[in-house]
Structure formats: structure tokens, C-alpha cells
Amino acid sequence: MNLTISGHHLDVTPALREYVVTKLDRVTRHFDQVVDINVLLTVEKQKEKERRQRAEVTVRVKGKDIFVEQAHEDLYAAIDQLMDKLDRQVCRHKEMLQDHHHQAAKRLDVGAAS
């Protein structure tokens, strides 16, 4: 798995990098077929103070790219909310992969035929 953490108008400190890696551990624990993860942390120059800190992640899994972004006034809170969203999307993707093995309706035992 390739992990890239980059910053835009922001220096990615070792503490910030470690925080992102520990949060991503939860996602990779749920789904182990992750090929590539790109994390971009951004500080936008907006006039209003809220939603200036932005975090976005692109997770490349087998057959699909999952993109999530979140903005907040605190970068750590944005990362927390981002990982919650990403976790839900990865779990949904995993369920969709597993749900394709249904029995056909004509093969189900109805119990009415004697």
C-alpha cells in the first residue's frame, strides 16, 4: 500500500503525519485490499474563519477510487470527520462486493410444491 501525505499552503509536521496514519489504520483494518492512499491537507485563504482547514483523501481500491473531502476550522477535527466519512464509504464498498452472491429467486425453496 502506497501512502502519500502532502500539504498545500501548510507544512505537514511529523505529529500531523502520525495523526493521519493512526486514523487511516482504522480504515485499512476494515478493508485490506487498499492499493494506494493520497491525503491532501490544505489551508485555504478565505475571509470567513470557519471551514478554512480542508482535508481530502483519495483511496484507490481494486476496481474503484473513493474520494472524500471535509472542511472545518480545526484541521484535526477535519481529519476526524474525514476518516468517519471514509470509513463509512469503505464499509459500504466492502458490503457491495460481498452482496453480489445472492441465490437466484428460482433456486429458493418455497416449500409449496409437494
Side-chain angles (χ1 to χ4, degrees), residues 10-111:
L10 167 79
D11 290 330
V12 180
T13 61
L16 196 56
R17 182 177 298 276
E18 183 64 31
Y19 189 74
V20 170
V21 169
T22 56
K23 290 293 183 174
L24 278 172
D25 186 44
R26 182 177 76 180
V27 174
T28 56
R29 201 173 349 122
H30 282 141
F31 191 66
D32 60 347
Q33 296 178 356
V34 176
V35 176
D36 191 23
I37 299 177
N38 292 323
V39 180
L40 179 63
L41 306 174
T42 308
V43 177
E44 295 180 347
K45 299 190 185 307
Q46 294 178 345
K47 293 191 184 211
E48 61 267 357
K49 288 287 184 189
E50 65 272 353
R51 302 207 180 275
R52 280 186 56 190
Q53 315 280 336
R54 225 175 70 192
E56 52 188 61
V57 64
T58 304
V59 176
R60 178 168 286 137
V61 295
K62 194 170 112 180
K64 185 174 182 177
D65 288 351
I66 299 172
F67 176 77
V68 181
E69 64 180 342
Q70 184 66 41
H72 198 270
E73 61 189 26
D74 179 28
L75 188 58
Y76 286 96
I79 292 171
D80 287 340
Q81 293 172 358
L82 176 85
M83 293 305 164
D84 290 340
K85 278 184 174 180
L86 181 64
D87 194 36
R88 284 193 300 270
Q89 284 197 12
V90 166
C91 287
R92 191 177 325 135
H93 176 70
K94 184 178 175 181
E95 287 173 7
M96 285 185 354
L97 287 178
Q98 293 172 348
D99 282 347
H100 288 291
H101 303 291
H102 291 298
Q103 277 187 328
K106 60 185 174 186
R107 303 238 180 209
L108 292 176
D109 185 22
V110 180

